[in-house]
């Protein structure tokens, strides 16, 4: 997957936004001061556009973000705060049934309650919202990792009931994932955390110390590192 900056620079539509083009070109060359100056000029211009033209720009850039990595190399704070975030909030009010808006808002912007918007996108868009499904699964797996990431030190930081619900939610979401490789890897992660949780409960009930040794004594081995279901 190409970087967002590379995909934007290679896009024919970039010529429609000459000041934004300058920002991207300076950014690619590592010229921070010049890039910020061009971005500021672009934002001054864009904030004077009517909402339809702002939406056209947003659609173009978000569609590139969806097929790119390193999005936040382009989506820096001034662009998000001054243009895209307020535009998206107004747009969602105007078109509350458009799943794209909740998808983009939940996937790319720095917001609170991210899962609320992703859930809304999934509700409106259904199974075709594959990026949303994968992001939700990613968020829930990160939460599980946090619960267990000090387990080798006999510290479980989560809540058993809440983590059981997370595992169930991940399983349900994974059934809608189209990419078979991801489904298999997600299933393996669910099994990993389910087994880890069961062993932690058994270990805790014995009132002993040394969870790692306890697992080894029972012939069980866990990789106590962050695990992803896709290449990171």
């Amino acid at each position: 997957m190409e970087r967002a900056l590379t995909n934007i620079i290679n896009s024919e539509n970039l010529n429609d936004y000459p000041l934004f083009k300058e920002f991207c070109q300076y950014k690619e060359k590592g010229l921070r001061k010049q890039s910020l100056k061009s971005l500021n000029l672009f934002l001054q211009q864009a904030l004077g556009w009517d909402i339809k033209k702002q939406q056209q720009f947003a659609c173009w850039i978000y569609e590139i973000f969806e097929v790119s990595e390193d999005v936040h190399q382009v989506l820096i704070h001034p662009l998000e705060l001054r243009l895209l975030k307020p535009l998206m909030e107004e747009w969602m009010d105007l078109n509350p049934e458009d799943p794209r808006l909740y998808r983009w808002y939940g996937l790319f912007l720095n917001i609170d309650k991210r899962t609320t918007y992703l859930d809304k996108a999934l509700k409106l868009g259904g199974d075709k919202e594959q990026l949303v499904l994968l992001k939700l699964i990613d968020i829930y797996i990160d939460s599980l990792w946090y619960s267990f990431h000090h387990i080798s030190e006999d510290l479980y930081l989560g809540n058993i009931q809440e983590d059981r619900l997370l595992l169930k939610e991940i399983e349900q979401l994974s059934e809608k994932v189209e990419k078979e490789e991801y489904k298999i890897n997600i299933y393996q992660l669910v099994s990993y955390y389910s087994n880890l949780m069961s062993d932690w409960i058994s270990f805790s009930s014995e009132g002993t110390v040394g969870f790692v040794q306890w697992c080894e004594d029972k012939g069980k081995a866990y990789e106590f590192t962050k695990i992803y279901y896709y290449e990171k």
Side-chain angles (χ1 to χ4, degrees), residues 173-228:
L173 290 173
S174 69
E175 291 175 0
K176 303 175 183 179
V177 172
E178 293 176 354
K179 193 167 184 177
E180 194 63 28
E181 178 187 354
Y182 286 174
K183 292 181 77 166
I184 293 170
N185 292 342
I186 292 165
Y187 174 77
Q188 290 173 343
L189 273 174
V190 168
S191 297
Y192 171 87
Y193 281 114
S194 295
N195 292 334
L196 185 57
M197 181 185 294
S198 295
D199 284 336
W200 173 254
I201 292 170
S202 298
F203 165 78
S204 300
S205 69
E206 295 181 10
T208 58
V209 295
F211 180 62
V212 173
Q213 187 61 52
W214 183 92
C215 290
E216 290 178 357
D217 291 344
K218 296 186 176 299
K220 300 181 180 183
Y222 291 103
E223 184 180 347
F224 297 110
T225 58
K226 198 162 191 176
I227 309 169
Y228 299 95

Side-chain angles (χ1 to χ4, degrees), residues 21-69:
K21 181 177 181 177
E22 282 185 10
F23 158 69
C24 292
Q25 290 173 334
Y26 284 133
K27 186 82 173 174
E28 180 72 353
K29 294 175 182 177
L31 301 173
R32 183 176 181 275
K33 184 176 180 180
Q34 294 92 324
S35 70
L36 288 174
K37 181 179 179 180
S38 294
L39 178 61
N40 186 55
L41 291 172
F42 167 73
L43 290 173
Q44 290 177 26
Q45 180 187 71
L47 291 171
W49 295 340
D50 61 35
I51 191 170
K52 183 176 180 180
K53 189 168 182 179
Q54 290 181 351
Q55 290 170 346
Q56 288 173 342
F57 172 78
C59 285
W60 168 68
I61 199 168
Y62 281 130
E63 286 170 1
I64 290 177
F65 287 165
E66 287 185 345
V67 294
S68 306
E69 60 183 8

